[in-house]
Amino acid sequence: MLRFLTAGESHGKALLAILEGMPAGLKVEAGQINQELKRRQAGFGRGRRMQIEKDEAQILSGLRKGITLGSPIAFLIENKDFSIEKLLKVTCPRPGHADLAGLLKYGFTDVRNVLERASARETASRVGIGAICKIFLKEFNIRIISKVLSIGGEFTSEAMKNKILEAKDNKDTVGGIFEVVAKGLPCGLGSYVQPDRRLDARLAENIMSIPGIKAIEIGLGLGYAVSFGSEVHDVIYYNKNKRLLAGRQGYFRKTNNAGGIEGGISNGEDIIIRACMKPISTLLKPLDSVNIATLKPTKAVVERSDTCVLEAAGVIAESGVALVLADAFLEKFGADNLLDIKKAYQDYQKRIK
Ligand SMILES: Cc1cc2nc3c(=O)[nH]c(=O)nc-3n(C[C@H](O)[C@H](O)[C@H](O)COP(=O)(O)O)c2cc1C
């Protein structure tokens, strides 16, 4: 239902995005998009580039008087650091980045031709797209939040902060784990009828596409591997009374190890996703590499870089989750017009009550 494309190099003139499939009749303000872009730029451990940039979306199409037309929504985010033509050639690829594999794949002799697009600067476009999807989902009281759970094996906020400072002092970088939770979802998004319609698979694909993400789990995730079925499956209850029981009417669960998805379908509980981000690959104390011009041992290039971006990664993942859920929602309740979708949603809720 929803399709998108992004374009733009890290130090190019601008980043671009086109989102197609948003229904007509949704009120969208650039300020709402900018708020999310600002969240992506923040977080303890970010480098100097984020002090230079001030990401703001200029909406180019898809709206009239602030309301969506059902046509593709295009927007642009200008790069303040527009310097791509002046930047020097890079010949020392960084271990852990796209540099060497991209260079060999595309036949370049300058690593910069790879890193300009492989850079996670691209994710600003995705966050803008996700912001529009969040605005749509909010019409149905669906909210998506994220938080950092651990950094470098530390769990308290003070210890996490210290770990980032330690990495910074050592000219090193550090990774961690964040969690994304989607609340207020109906049962019935996604399907088991084809592999590519499974909601868990679609969420995993989107989150794994964020640069630096190396693992994801839904609900209990890896914890299932060390449990008996009797201990972990979320037992089903039904509350016949109109009065709320355990916060619920109708069917309900007391646990949510499934992370809100069973059989590739949302089951009405919160969707809970955790993902692991590896340490940033650009180190100020660079790792060993090979000069691609001389084939002699060298140190990897040092680019201006972040130390730790777990908070930002969580915001980017929220955007991905918003896109996937909005897509599945439109599939289930129709597209084209917001009022039609609301009507279909209400009818469905009445049926499954
Ligand atoms: C928000 C964000 C910011 C990032 N900043 C940097 C950075 O400053 N330097 C760097 O080397 N990698 C950075 N990365 C990670 C690289 O983009 C990523 O490791 C690289 O594209 C290779 O992809 P892979 O790690 O998925 O293999 C960042 C990732 C995210 C999500």
Side-chain angles (χ1 to χ4, degrees):
M1 307 300 292
L2 289 173
R3 296 190 294 173
F4 77 97
L5 271 180
T6 71
E9 277 68 40
S10 181
H11 300 91
K13 198 170 167 47
L15 301 165
L16 292 164
I18 298 181
L19 172 65
E20 201 219 74
M22 262 296 141
L26 182 71
K27 189 168 180 233
V28 174
E29 285 169 14
Q32 295 168 292
I33 300 175
N34 293 340
Q35 214 176 323
E36 292 296 303
L37 294 178
K38 198 169 170 190
R39 289 181 64 223
R40 191 201 75 96
Q41 290 197 271
F44 196 71
R46 300 230 60 185
R48 236 179 57 72
R49 176 77 192 272
M50 286 304 110
Q51 290 161 20
I52 298 170
E53 299 299 338
K54 188 172 180 303
D55 292 345
E56 279 182 355
Q58 296 171 37
I59 299 175
L60 306 176
S61 75
L63 300 186
R64 182 152 188 257
K65 300 185 196 297
I67 309 288
T68 55
L69 300 169
S71 52
I73 302 172
F75 62 85
L76 171 157
I77 302 165
E78 262 178 27
N79 282 325
K80 298 254 178 292
D81 191 0
F82 169 32
S83 52
I84 190 166
E85 300 299 345
K86 289 180 278 179
L87 289 168
L88 297 177
K89 188 170 179 173
V90 176
T91 52
C92 310
R94 293 161 296 175
H97 219 296
D99 299 0
L100 183 60
L103 182 106
L104 295 174
K105 175 177 168 68
Y106 288 100
F108 296 135
T109 51
D110 183 352
V111 172
R112 179 149 308 280
N113 291 347
V114 176
L115 65 88
E116 280 295 322
R117 180 64 184 162
S119 158
R121 179 95 189 104
E122 180 269 342
T123 58
S125 301
R126 296 194 213 183
V127 169
I129 289 167
I132 299 168
C133 296
K134 278 186 175 181
I135 296 168
F136 169 75
L137 293 170
K138 211 168 156 207
E139 292 286 326
F140 304 89
N141 291 322
I142 298 168
R143 304 168 313 285
I144 301 161
I145 51 174
S146 67
K147 67 174 177 202
V148 177
L149 295 184
S150 69
I151 287 178
E154 300 290 351
F155 297 90
T156 66
S157 49
E158 201 192 337
M160 289 194 269
K161 225 170 172 178
N162 286 338
K163 202 76 181 180
I164 296 173
L165 290 173
E166 183 187 336
K168 214 170 185 174
D169 286 349
N170 294 333
K171 301 188 171 178
D172 211 333
T173 59
V174 65
I177 296 174
F178 64 83
E179 181 175 86
V180 182
V181 179
K183 291 172 175 290
L185 289 156
C187 172
L189 304 185
S191 179
Y192 51 80
V193 300
Q194 286 294 345
D196 63 355
R197 291 187 57 188
R198 291 182 71 103
L199 194 64
D200 40 8
R202 290 155 71 176
L203 288 164
E205 181 185 4
N206 192 297
I207 289 175
M208 285 301 292
S209 78
I210 301 169
I213 302 302
K214 294 298 144 197
I216 157 171
E217 64 178 12
I218 295 179
L220 190 57
L222 291 172
Y224 278 121
V226 293
S227 314
F228 288 112
S230 55
E231 296 169 319
V232 289
H233 295 307
D234 305 312
V235 174
I236 302 171
Y237 300 91
Y238 189 82
N239 172 22
K240 275 192 257 162
N241 305 323
K242 285 248 178 321
R243 230 161 21 90
L244 293 180
L245 189 66
R248 288 298 176 90
Q249 281 173 340
Y251 294 107
F252 72 95
R253 320 287 177 108
K254 292 183 185 171
T255 54
N256 184 16
N257 289 323
I261 303 175
E262 288 172 305
I265 305 175
S266 64
N267 66 5
E269 303 293 323
D270 290 353
I271 289 184
I272 303 171
I273 299 165
R274 279 176 294 277
C276 157
M277 176 159 197
K278 75 184 190 185
I280 297 287
S281 34
T282 308
L283 304 190
L284 290 183
K285 198 160 64 186
L287 296 171
D288 290 345
S289 181
V290 172
N291 185 310
I292 54 150
T294 64
L295 302 184
K296 298 247 165 67
T298 183
K299 290 290 177 191
V301 67
V302 179
E303 282 275 305
R304 187 176 47 203
S305 197
D306 298 307
T307 308
C308 181
V309 294
L310 262 290
E311 279 177 68
V315 174
I316 299 161
E318 283 177 35
S319 305
V321 170
L323 178 83
V324 171
L325 294 180
D327 190 39
F329 198 96
L330 291 168
E331 230 167 63
K332 177 85 184 94
F333 300 111
D336 300 336
N337 176 290
L338 186 62
L339 290 179
D340 292 350
I341 298 167
K342 283 190 171 170
K343 171 93 178 39
Y345 184 55
Q346 279 162 9
D347 290 348
Y348 173 75
Q349 280 190 317
K350 252 184 244 158
R351 175 170 74 70
I352 64 167
K353 212 167 183 184

